[in-house]
Amino acid sequence: MSQQTEQIVRRKLSDEVFARLKRMITSGELEPGDEMPSERELMERFGVGRPAIREAMQALANMGLVVISHGERAKVLEVTARSILQQVNQTAKIMLSKSSDSLEHLKSARIFFERGMAREAAGRATDGDIADLQAILEEQRDSLGKAEEFISADMRFHMRIAQISGNPIFVAVSEAMLAWLKEYHTDMLIWTGKEKFTLAEHEEIIHCLADRDADAAEQAVLKHLERSRALYTNRAS
């Protein structure tokens, strides 16, 4: 009976350095805000050359674990839901720009997500939350005819609803989905006449949240997003 061979592949030096540096961060030896040791210190500590250190440090930066600034030591970053999602931003945008199916899936996911956020917000919203939403709506109303400002206020309105949950992961997911839709799939120049529908629908959502009516809030968000989903189209199509 023949035995299968299992080859052992030697790891690159930079991979081993990366693993050790990551362990320094995940073990708590280095905390968010701390400076990483200098290249020279790490070269002496691990007995490797500068290229291995730099390659490993860049891998840490690509993961969002450190930030590298020219002329300064790298600093350890705090890992949050927002920073994690930001790491997949470019990949997500490429996927969405190349596939109309992916765009439709994202729009459906957003509707599913925001219906839940509306129900959550209806049960948790304070008078201060309602006042904040109303203030954002007024800013959006003042931005009529200014596409970028109008869209920015629109995004803040929906993110503010997610913030009512008190869950930073919900907020990060909301921000990520809205950013992906805005950058690649919102034709902001053909909104003439549609902005007033958005304002009226946002007003209705606020009223439902102020009444603490979860069912009505969910239906108001559903009506709003189902109407507006046609505004998000793949620019390549």
Side-chain angles (χ1 to χ4, degrees), residues 114-115 118 161 205 216-226:
E114 294 217 21
R115 289 174 69 175
I161 291 175
I205 291 168
E218 179 184 1
Q219 288 305 307
V221 165
L222 178 61
K223 181 180 76 172
H224 171 53
L225 295 182
E226 286 289 5

Side-chain angles (χ1 to χ4, degrees), residues 6-22:
E6 296 182 16
Q7 295 184 348
I8 297 176
V9 180
R10 286 188 63 183
R11 299 176 75 180
K12 290 169 56 181
L13 275 178
S14 60
D15 290 342
E16 185 60 40
V17 174
F18 168 77
R20 295 191 187 191
L21 292 176
K22 187 174 72 167

Side-chain angles (χ1 to χ4, degrees), residues 14-224:
S14 60
D15 290 342
E16 185 60 40
V17 174
F18 168 77
R20 295 191 187 191
L21 292 176
K22 187 174 72 167
R23 198 176 305 126
M24 291 168 66
I25 295 172
T26 57
S27 69
E29 180 180 343
L30 292 170
E31 299 282 352
D34 287 348
E35 289 186 341
M36 296 292 291
S38 69
E39 287 183 353
R40 183 169 295 280
E41 289 176 90
L42 293 174
M43 288 164 62
E44 292 175 357
R45 177 170 177 170
F46 299 138
V48 298
R50 182 170 277 108
I53 298 297
R54 288 185 174 176
E55 193 173 334
M57 200 69 75
Q58 188 59 56
L60 290 175
N62 292 341
M63 286 186 65
L65 294 177
V66 304
V67 61
I68 300 174
S69 301
H70 182 68
E72 299 179 6
R73 289 192 189 184
K75 286 187 178 180
V76 180
L77 292 174
E78 182 177 3
V79 178
T80 63
R82 187 172 187 265
S83 69
I84 291 170
L85 283 170
Q86 285 180 334
Q87 296 309 304
V88 302
N89 258 350
Q90 294 306 315
T91 306
K93 289 170 182 176
I94 291 170
M95 175 190 73
L96 292 167
S97 67
K98 291 183 177 296
S99 169
S100 58
D101 285 345
S102 294
L103 172 58
E104 289 306 313
H105 293 158
L106 175 61
K107 289 192 286 188
S108 295
R110 183 198 175 192
I111 291 173
F112 182 87
F113 174 82
E114 294 217 21
R115 289 174 69 175
M117 287 300 90
R119 298 193 69 86
E120 185 79 5
R124 298 173 62 101
T126 65
D127 290 344
D129 293 325
I130 300 300
D132 284 349
L133 289 171
Q134 193 66 52
I136 294 171
L137 178 61
E138 292 308 315
E139 290 178 32
Q140 193 174 25
R141 186 173 284 116
D142 291 341
S143 300
L144 275 170
K146 304 172 186 175
E148 285 288 349
E149 292 179 23
F150 190 88
I151 293 292
S152 176
D154 188 274
M155 292 174 67
R156 284 188 285 114
F157 180 85
H158 289 277
M159 285 174 58
R160 186 65 183 83
I161 291 175
Q163 287 171 355
I164 294 172
S165 69
N167 186 325
I169 294 179
F170 288 160
V171 179
V173 170
S174 175
E175 180 182 22
M177 288 195 293
L178 289 166
W180 297 338
L181 284 167
K182 174 183 182 294
E183 182 159 346
Y184 277 80
H185 302 289
T186 305
D187 189 342
M188 295 180 292
L189 302 178
I190 59 168
W191 272 40
T192 306
K194 297 185 175 70
E195 298 96 331
K196 292 182 179 179
F197 285 110
T198 295
L199 294 172
E201 289 162 358
H202 280 186
E203 186 79 63
E204 182 181 359
I205 291 168
I206 292 174
H207 285 159
C208 294
L209 294 178
D211 290 341
R212 288 16 179 215
D213 189 332
D215 290 338
E218 179 184 1
Q219 288 305 307
V221 165
L222 178 61
K223 181 180 76 172
H224 171 53

